[in-house]
Amino acid sequence: MAITLQAKGLTKEFDGFVAVNNVDLSIEKGSIHALIGPNGAGKTTCFNLLTKFLQPTRGTITYEGRDITRMKPTDIARLGMVRSFQISAIFPDLSVLQNVRVALQRTRGESYDFWRSNRILAKLNDQACAHLDEVGLADFTNERAAALPYGRKRALEIATTLALEPDMLLLDEPMAGMGREDVTLISQLIRRIAKNRTVLMVEHNLSVVADLSDRITVLARGEILAEGTYAEISTSPEVIEAYIGASHE
């Protein structure tokens, strides 16, 4: 399989504390890859390194064969590698349609043209509606974003992410704070949008990880503890010990 995103020797130190230590990671094109581990394992730091919100102390990161180690997040987003955040990032006072349309306005260049007339911006409506349909929000286009249930707010955030035309999505705990119904909704959404994209996600919900992931990397104390399918890592004595130990801390 072709490799979309690869890290070699990825290391991050904070004033002598090694948060991520010599991590080698390869994400196959077209796969759903999960990054998991007990609290304090270094997942968030590793994710922020891969998405360039942190610079590594050592190591290299390549995307589609291109070295992005020192690139800025905005630059790698333009290459097609786009991330979400744990906290839903939407404009609460805009409509659902307007939220996606803001993301689409990037195609007009450096300006988001908030002062343009509705007639001009309406040219983006069909494309915005297509993204909303893709995430199951076609019936909510005129709803105020703040009025959406939590799970649908996350779906709207994914729609705005899709408007950036990513080839790879990096999802930071997409199920955080969700009830069972919302988890089912977003799980189905991730499976649907991953059909023609690569997905890397950090996720605590192991049932979601088991259901969605083609491959899983387990971190502990900033290092890779295990990697494989869910069937392989779930029977690993080292992984079981790491999670049981974390539960008793």
Side-chain angles (χ1 to χ4, degrees):
M1 292 290 291
I3 301 300
T4 293
L5 181 66
Q6 187 170 54
K8 291 185 178 181
L10 196 61
T11 300
K12 182 62 179 180
E13 298 177 2
F14 296 99
D15 295 326
F17 171 72
V18 182
V20 172
N21 186 28
N22 199 34
V23 165
D24 291 340
L25 187 65
S26 295
I27 312 300
E28 292 183 353
K29 192 176 188 65
S31 70
I32 300 178
H33 195 121
L35 190 61
I36 69 171
N39 289 337
K43 303 183 298 298
T44 298
T45 302
C46 188
F47 192 83
N48 285 334
L49 289 168
L50 293 171
T51 56
K52 306 318 319 307
F53 282 77
L54 285 175
Q55 287 293 344
T57 305
R58 291 184 297 279
T60 59
I61 306 166
T62 56
Y63 174 66
E64 298 289 3
R66 178 173 179 171
D67 190 334
I68 63 168
T69 309
R70 299 299 168 187
M71 291 181 69
K72 297 177 181 178
T74 50
D75 293 330
I76 64 168
R78 292 188 182 98
L79 294 178
M81 182 174 140
V82 181
R83 70 168 287 176
S84 72
F85 296 85
Q86 290 183 34
I87 299 173
S88 187
I90 60 174
F91 294 103
D93 293 324
L94 296 183
S95 72
V96 169
L97 177 68
Q98 287 169 333
N99 266 269
V100 180
R101 204 167 63 184
V102 168
L104 289 171
Q105 284 172 240
R106 71 170 182 84
T107 60
R108 295 181 58 84
E110 296 298 323
S111 172
Y112 280 85
D113 293 353
F114 289 107
W115 59 88
R116 294 289 183 180
S117 69
N118 283 333
R119 180 181 59 82
I120 293 176
L121 295 180
K123 295 177 181 179
L124 300 172
N125 285 354
D126 287 346
Q127 194 176 351
C129 286
H131 289 303
L132 289 172
D133 185 56
E134 191 173 3
V135 301
L137 291 178
D139 294 334
F140 298 85
T141 55
N142 296 318
E143 290 277 348
R144 183 169 168 263
L148 292 176
Y150 183 70
R152 296 197 185 277
K153 286 178 181 175
R154 297 311 298 261
L156 175 56
E157 182 185 3
I158 291 175
T160 61
T161 302
L162 295 178
L164 300 176
E165 300 180 357
D167 297 312
M168 181 172 187
L169 282 171
L170 298 102
L171 306 176
D172 190 4
E173 297 193 26
M175 311 300 171
M178 289 187 184
R180 182 177 298 179
E181 183 177 343
D182 285 338
V183 166
T184 300
L185 173 73
I186 299 303
S187 292
Q188 292 171 348
L189 171 56
I190 291 172
R191 188 185 301 281
R192 192 160 63 245
I193 64 176
K195 288 182 178 179
N196 57 350
R197 298 178 180 90
T198 305
V199 175
L200 172 65
M201 64 178 182
V202 172
E203 182 52 55
H204 282 292
N205 189 322
L206 293 184
S207 64
V208 169
V209 170
D211 180 52
L212 290 179
S213 303
D214 300 304
R215 194 161 186 83
I216 301 162
T217 299
V218 185
L219 289 180
R221 297 177 294 278
E223 299 181 351
I224 292 180
L225 184 64
E227 188 168 280
T229 65
Y230 186 80
E232 291 167 342
I233 65 103
S234 64
T235 57
S236 164
E238 293 84 1
V239 173
I240 294 170
E241 181 181 357
Y243 271 94
I244 291 176
S247 68
H248 288 284
E249 287 179 357

